[in-house]
Amino acid sequence: MEGQDIVSSTEGAPRDVIPAHLLRGQKALVTGANSGIGRATAVALGRAGADVVVNYVAGGDEAEKVVEEITGFGVRAAAYEADVSDEQQVVAMMDRMVQEFGTIDILVANAGLQRDAPFTEMTLAQWQKVLDVNLTGQFLCAREATKEFLRRGVVPEVSRAAGKIICMSSVHQIIPWAGHVNYASSKGGVQMMMETLAQELAPKKIRVNAIAPGAIRTPINRSAWDTPEALEDLLRLIPYDRVGDPEDIGYAAVGLASDLMDYVVGATLYVDGGMTLFPGFATGG
Ligand code: BGC
């Protein structure tokens, strides 16, 4: 598959320092988990001891490979097909998860896509598709997960929270992005949705937070890093001087989902090598 041949620069990084008991007994759903950031996040959660549902909309074979990798850690995993922008499919996915896994403790609302175009050439279909998947998809998944969190409440042996929602946002929730007005608007929406949900649900002991990745080496932005020229341009925007790996996001998700971060509510964790630090001002201004 497309993402398979992507060389990871965190190869040999300390994966095995993820404590295998950190999320033991917790049930996680990761949307869009058959590739890229979703895949690495699902694997990291499994490594940390969670049982994981690997959601996908296309690419079932890849999803099955992710399931296989996760079950290798001695936890449960299953691949569920569902389009996150379709209300019925999301409801059915959550029902199935509760039936087969018993409940849900962690939602990583990750599924997302880009349909780029200069503004005057952007079709309504391109605008709508991105909003439907990136924003409405997170709304639907968060709503259905929250219903189950509220039904079940806190189980102290499992976690201090009744549930954890991690919204996958982007540095483009705050960095405007010419030629990507649909994508940037969807992520700006994710930020406000996340903060509003965090405020509304905190009294119910549900923690809602976001991760805002910068440039992570995945199929979504291949053209930004797969030639030396593109890579050089990209690295100019990243003070830490490397493109991120999907695992960088997976590790962040494990931390945010765990009780180590029980007091983190309504936060956006930027995992971007400093992309949001206005690197142009290091020498200008
Ligand atoms: C986008 C990537 C982009 C990165 C940094 C992400 O949200 O999906 O295409 O490389 O932001 O600009």
Side-chain angles (χ1 to χ4, degrees):
M1 86 110 186
E2 219 189 342
Q4 288 274 293
D5 53 349
I6 294 172
V7 180
S8 165
S9 64
T10 52
E11 217 53 71
R15 300 161 180 229
D16 48 5
V17 301
I18 296 183
H21 59 270
L22 195 58
L23 300 176
R24 190 179 296 149
Q26 303 205 40
K27 321 289 176 190
L29 166 63
V30 183
T31 64
N34 55 315
S35 76
I37 287 173
R39 176 189 187 128
T41 300
V43 169
L45 293 170
R47 202 181 276 278
D51 297 324
V52 185
V53 171
V54 174
N55 159 262
Y56 68 98
V57 66
D61 290 352
E62 292 311 316
E64 288 304 337
K65 283 188 204 153
V66 180
V67 165
E68 214 173 288
E69 186 174 352
I70 295 172
T71 51
F73 306 133
V75 296
R76 282 185 67 193
Y80 289 5
E81 181 181 348
D83 174 352
V84 296
S85 67
D86 182 304
E87 184 172 25
Q88 257 68 56
Q89 292 185 38
V90 171
V91 170
M93 172 167 68
M94 205 60 72
D95 283 352
R96 181 174 167 198
M97 180 164 178
V98 171
Q99 227 166 55
E100 295 179 357
F101 284 75
T103 190
I104 176 172
D105 303 283
I106 300 162
L107 166 68
V108 182
N110 166 76
L113 44 76
Q114 287 181 216
R115 294 286 183 271
D116 311 327
F119 183 46
T120 54
E121 286 161 35
M122 187 172 286
T123 62
L124 178 58
Q126 287 172 319
W127 168 267
Q128 200 61 55
K129 179 76 180 171
V130 171
L131 269 291
D132 282 352
V133 174
N134 295 12
L135 185 56
T136 307
Q138 293 204 13
F139 159 74
L140 290 171
C141 292
R143 191 189 66 188
E144 293 313 302
T146 298
K147 289 179 190 169
E148 172 59 15
F149 297 156
L150 294 174
R151 185 198 65 75
R152 194 205 55 240
V154 177
V155 181
E157 306 79 63
V158 174
S159 175
R160 295 179 73 176
K164 281 86 57 163
I165 296 173
I166 298 172
C167 297
M168 204 56 74
S169 188
S170 163
V171 291
H172 297 296
Q173 70 173 23
I174 55 163
I175 302 178
W177 203 18
H180 307 76
V181 67
N182 46 3
Y183 185 84
S185 302
S186 73
K187 296 303 186 177
V190 165
Q191 177 179 17
M192 189 47 78
M193 182 184 72
M194 180 281 284
E195 290 174 7
T196 300
L197 294 183
Q199 187 194 61
E200 186 167 337
L201 300 175
K204 310 282 185 198
K205 290 280 173 267
I206 297 168
R207 291 197 296 118
V208 188
N209 291 287
I211 296 174
I216 307 298
R217 206 181 295 265
T218 73
I220 207 173
N221 61 358
R222 180 180 284 274
S223 63
W225 50 261
D226 75 345
T227 65
E229 301 74 43
L231 185 63
E232 199 187 320
D233 279 354
L234 183 59
L235 288 177
R236 253 184 242 125
L237 300 175
I238 309 172
Y240 204 53
D241 204 33
R242 75 168 170 87
V243 178
D245 292 300
E247 290 75 15
D248 290 316
I249 307 302
Y251 300 152
V254 167
L256 264 183
S258 80
D259 278 3
L260 292 174
M261 302 216 183
D262 185 59
Y263 209 50
V264 179
V265 174
T268 295
L269 179 55
Y270 287 89
V271 184
D272 68 351
M275 191 175 242
T276 40
L277 298 174
F278 298 97
F281 281 80
T283 51

